[in-house]
Amino acid sequence: EQPLRTARRRAQEAGLDTARCRFVKGDVTRLEHILAGSGLDLVTDVGCLHGRTRSQQEAFARWVTGHTAPGSELVVMAVEPRRGPGPNGLDEERLDKLLGRPWSLVSVTDSVNQATRGPIKGSTFHWYRYQR
């Protein structure tokens, strides 16, 4: 519940109309059971997709395409591909292949890794912004 409270607070601080925002808790590998219907205009993944198996990543890509309309945006924060414990990572090539058409990469922004310990310490992260 704490991450949901933080997300709601940050949305309010950013001046978003939180009545139009939907914050949900559930299993990211089973989104079809959590978020029914379509019509999402923004989907954000912060450090989850890059740690899923290939089949889970492919299922997410199908799900996000099926639940968004033309003009929607997808923002993915992912660690660069790496070996060792923790997430395997994703890069632009893999994301492009996963999403395919109708998604187009709009921008890639480097992110400073704040992790000071753990398996991702010192890793490079990127924010990928796609538009459908």
Side-chain angles (χ1 to χ4, degrees):
E1 294 303 316
Q2 182 57 44
L4 292 174
R5 283 193 295 272
T6 300
R8 286 184 190 101
R9 179 182 49 79
R10 287 181 179 171
Q12 287 176 329
E13 289 171 356
L16 296 176
D17 179 1
T18 55
R20 293 189 61 222
C21 297
R22 192 165 40 164
F23 300 90
V24 295
K25 176 182 173 182
D27 183 346
V28 72
T29 65
R30 301 176 55 122
L31 291 172
E32 67 280 1
H33 299 290
I34 304 163
L35 297 169
S38 60
L40 300 174
D41 13 333
L42 174 65
V43 176
T44 305
D45 174 83
V46 181
C48 186
L49 186 61
H50 69 187
R52 305 295 76 161
T53 65
R54 284 196 184 272
S55 63
Q56 289 170 333
Q57 290 172 348
E58 291 163 358
F60 173 83
R62 285 190 303 274
W63 180 88
V64 77
T65 299
H67 288 80
T68 54
S72 298
E73 296 205 11
L74 169 65
V75 178
V76 176
M77 192 272 303
V79 67
E80 285 187 348
R82 52 185 292 287
R83 296 191 184 280
N88 293 328
L90 286 172
D91 58 15
E92 182 179 332
E93 181 181 348
R94 175 70 180 142
L95 278 168
D96 286 348
K97 198 181 250 186
L98 267 174
L99 296 169
R101 298 210 279 155
W103 295 97
S104 298
L105 182 66
V106 174
S107 64
V108 179
T109 305
D110 291 345
S111 178
V112 176
N113 179 0
Q114 302 293 331
T116 57
R117 59 187 172 156
I120 58 172
K121 178 182 177 182
S123 298
T124 302
F125 286 79
H126 301 286
W127 289 93
Y128 299 93
R129 183 174 153 231
Y130 285 85
Q131 187 168 46
R132 181 168 172 210

